[in-house]
PDB file of all heavy atoms in Angstrom:
ATOM      1  N   SER A  12      -4.523  -1.764  11.532  1.00  0.00           N
ATOM      2  CA  SER A  12      -4.211  -0.324  11.534  1.00  0.00           C
ATOM      3  C   SER A  12      -4.677   0.345  12.839  1.00  0.00           C
ATOM      4  O   SER A  12      -3.965   1.212  13.366  1.00  0.00           O
ATOM      5  CB  SER A  12      -4.873   0.335  10.327  1.00  0.00           C
ATOM      6  OG  SER A  12      -4.322  -0.123   9.131  1.00  0.00           O
ATOM      7  N   GLN A  15      -2.269   0.022  15.683  1.00  0.00           N
ATOM      8  CA  GLN A  15      -0.944   0.631  15.547  1.00  0.00           C
ATOM      9  C   GLN A  15      -0.823   1.929  16.384  1.00  0.00           C
ATOM     10  O   GLN A  15      -1.823   2.621  16.647  1.00  0.00           O
ATOM     11  CB  GLN A  15      -0.632   0.962  14.107  1.00  0.00           C
ATOM     12  CG  GLN A  15      -0.327  -0.269  13.240  1.00  0.00           C
ATOM     13  CD  GLN A  15       0.042   0.120  11.817  1.00  0.00           C
ATOM     14  OE1 GLN A  15      -0.732   0.747  11.108  1.00  0.00           O
ATOM     15  NE2 GLN A  15       1.235  -0.241  11.407  1.00  0.00           N
ATOM     16  N   ASN A 139      13.433 -14.974   2.394  1.00  0.00           N
ATOM     17  CA  ASN A 139      13.359 -14.523   0.998  1.00  0.00           C
ATOM     18  C   ASN A 139      13.864 -13.115   0.849  1.00  0.00           C
ATOM     19  O   ASN A 139      13.229 -12.246   0.296  1.00  0.00           O
ATOM     20  CB  ASN A 139      11.934 -14.675   0.489  1.00  0.00           C
ATOM     21  CG  ASN A 139      11.448 -16.129   0.633  1.00  0.00           C
ATOM     22  OD1 ASN A 139      11.153 -16.590   1.711  1.00  0.00           O
ATOM     23  ND2 ASN A 139      11.412 -16.841  -0.502  1.00  0.00           N
ATOM     24  N   PHE A 143      23.116  -9.567  -1.206  1.00  0.00           N
ATOM     25  CA  PHE A 143      24.140  -9.577  -2.244  1.00  0.00           C
ATOM     26  C   PHE A 143      23.646  -8.771  -3.479  1.00  0.00           C
ATOM     27  O   PHE A 143      23.285  -7.633  -3.283  1.00  0.00           O
ATOM     28  CB  PHE A 143      24.509 -11.023  -2.642  1.00  0.00           C
ATOM     29  CG  PHE A 143      24.910 -11.894  -1.477  1.00  0.00           C
ATOM     30  CD1 PHE A 143      24.061 -12.886  -0.973  1.00  0.00           C
ATOM     31  CD2 PHE A 143      26.132 -11.675  -0.817  1.00  0.00           C
ATOM     32  CE1 PHE A 143      24.428 -13.655   0.116  1.00  0.00           C
ATOM     33  CE2 PHE A 143      26.502 -12.432   0.276  1.00  0.00           C
ATOM     34  CZ  PHE A 143      25.640 -13.428   0.713  1.00  0.00           C
ATOM     35  N   GLU A 167      -6.635  -0.535 -13.602  1.00  0.00           N
ATOM     36  CA  GLU A 167      -5.279  -1.042 -13.885  1.00  0.00           C
ATOM     37  C   GLU A 167      -4.515  -1.237 -12.574  1.00  0.00           C
ATOM     38  O   GLU A 167      -3.783  -2.203 -12.430  1.00  0.00           O
ATOM     39  CB  GLU A 167      -4.562  -0.043 -14.803  1.00  0.00           C
ATOM     40  CG  GLU A 167      -5.072  -0.041 -16.253  1.00  0.00           C
ATOM     41  CD  GLU A 167      -4.472   1.050 -17.080  1.00  0.00           C
ATOM     42  OE1 GLU A 167      -4.406   2.203 -16.584  1.00  0.00           O
ATOM     43  OE2 GLU A 167      -4.052   0.779 -18.211  1.00  0.00           O
TER      44      GLU A 167
END
Side-chain angles (χ1 to χ4, degrees):
S12 294
Q15 286 183 301
N139 302 75
F143 306 108
E167 289 172 315

